Amino acid sequence: AAIEAAGLGIDELPGEGRCLIARQSFMEGTIVMKEQPCVRASALEVAQEIENDPSLWTLLRCSENQTAAEIKDILQPYLGEVGGQCVLFHAFSMINHACASSLEENVCFSILDTGDQRLDDSTWVSIIATRDIAIGDALRISYAEYLADEKSRTQRIELHCGGFCKCSFCMAERSDKNVHQLRCILPHAACCLHCGGGSANLHVGSLIYIHGLSSAEYNGLHGRVLKLVDGERCLVHILSQGHEQELWLKPAHLLQVGDATTSLR
């Protein structure tokens, strides 16, 4: 009922399994849905909570005759870790994966990355649209957002993505184009790209995020600053749909997310 009330549904996607799907459109910045997680010190404690009332966790396909130990194995691909605690969502566990800042990633969590608030069962966590979401779009977030364990990320990608991620970043990396330097891994906790965080001190070599253009074609892409002219124009190297391009853009449309010292892959 909560899923339907939020304007969402659950569909089976070929090769990906079940996923939250938009039944209505959402504008960038919209709170799509809120949910309270189950937060415990260990995975077994989370499993014991579900064993007490599996009817509250039907999306995870846990049945009444399963022990906590059996449930723990089922939960492993869904468990997150925040502040050293195990975190499990019910409806949000149906969000599928796309790598961070790929064209397909379209939601983020409201508080999981900030560290400003300790999570417990009473905490309302929101998923927020990081770009416009159309009717029929699958909700996608980077599992690296809260799945700290690499094995859990791998299991969940295998469960929801048919074995490997098919986002624009990963498909481009499987092509014969050398686009690795346009995919940025920040070595520190990044400010949310959709909340005005980041630095305005652009320079040659800065890794940037493009936003606010009247045409949506390039919004949401990463690139690198090649040239600055009088602080009013920037020549930016980007990758769009597998093709490398150079664009002249105003600094107001560029949000710095790293520089030449940032580690890349």
Side-chain angles (χ1 to χ4, degrees):
I3 293 174
E4 294 178 359
L8 304 171
I10 295 180
D11 287 348
E12 191 86 19
L13 299 183
E16 295 190 66
R18 295 170 299 159
C19 181
L20 280 178
I21 303 293
R23 298 286 193 240
Q24 66 182 54
S25 58
F26 297 92
M27 293 181 62
E28 179 180 347
T30 302
I31 294 177
V32 178
M33 186 178 176
K34 295 182 178 182
E35 184 174 7
Q36 291 174 300
C38 176
V39 183
R40 296 292 184 272
S42 69
L44 183 58
E45 289 182 34
V46 174
Q48 289 169 340
E49 188 68 25
I50 294 175
E51 182 184 25
N52 292 335
D53 193 351
S55 65
L56 298 177
W57 302 89
T58 55
L59 293 177
L60 303 183
R61 293 175 172 168
C62 299
S63 62
E64 293 183 3
N65 59 352
Q66 288 174 315
T67 65
E70 292 171 325
I71 292 172
K72 179 176 175 290
D73 292 335
I74 295 173
L75 296 184
Q76 193 59 48
Y78 299 99
L79 282 172
E81 183 179 330
V82 178
Q85 301 181 100
C86 287
V87 179
L88 180 68
F89 291 101
H90 188 217
F92 291 177
S93 67
M94 296 294 105
I95 300 174
N96 274 23
H97 171 76
C99 291
S101 296
S102 64
L103 294 177
E104 293 76 20
E105 186 192 35
N106 54 18
V107 294
C108 69
F109 289 113
S110 59
I111 69 168
L112 290 188
D113 288 334
T114 67
D116 295 333
Q117 181 178 347
R118 182 173 176 82
L119 281 179
D120 57 40
D121 291 4
S122 65
T123 306
W124 283 101
V125 177
S126 302
I127 47 172
I128 301 170
T130 56
R131 62 181 74 239
D132 291 345
I133 300 174
I135 295 173
D137 284 353
L139 269 55
R140 300 184 184 275
I141 195 169
S142 171
Y143 288 166
E145 287 273 337
Y146 75 109
L147 290 176
D149 177 60
E150 183 177 354
K151 181 180 178 181
S152 295
R153 289 198 297 270
T154 301
Q155 285 180 324
R156 194 159 179 184
I157 288 173
E158 289 177 350
L159 182 67
H160 286 297
C161 303
F164 63 89
C165 179
K166 303 177 183 66
C167 77
S168 53
F169 273 146
C170 291
M171 295 307 289
E173 287 186 344
R174 292 185 180 93
S175 75
D176 57 2
K177 300 290 290 183
N178 181 15
V179 299
H180 296 281
Q181 62 178 335
L182 294 184
R183 183 171 182 182
C184 168
I185 304 300
L186 300 179
H188 52 79
C191 296
C192 178
L193 301 180
H194 305 277
C195 303
S199 169
N201 298 319
L202 296 172
H203 54 81
V204 173
S206 290
L207 288 167
I208 54 84
Y209 171 85
I210 301 173
H211 67 104
L213 296 175
S214 57
S215 171
E217 181 180 1
Y218 300 113
N219 285 332
L221 297 182
H222 277 110
R224 189 185 292 279
V225 174
L226 300 179
K227 187 183 296 185
L228 289 144
V229 178
D230 300 326
E232 297 182 357
R233 292 195 303 157
C234 296
L235 182 63
V236 178
H237 181 218
I238 67 165
L239 175 79
S240 178
Q241 298 181 345
H243 300 287
E244 295 178 64
Q245 300 181 43
E246 293 182 0
L247 301 175
W248 285 99
L249 297 171
K250 294 181 178 179
H253 297 301
L254 307 178
L255 182 64
Q256 181 170 286
V257 294
D259 55 30
T261 64
T262 303
S263 60
L264 303 169
R265 72 180 183 190

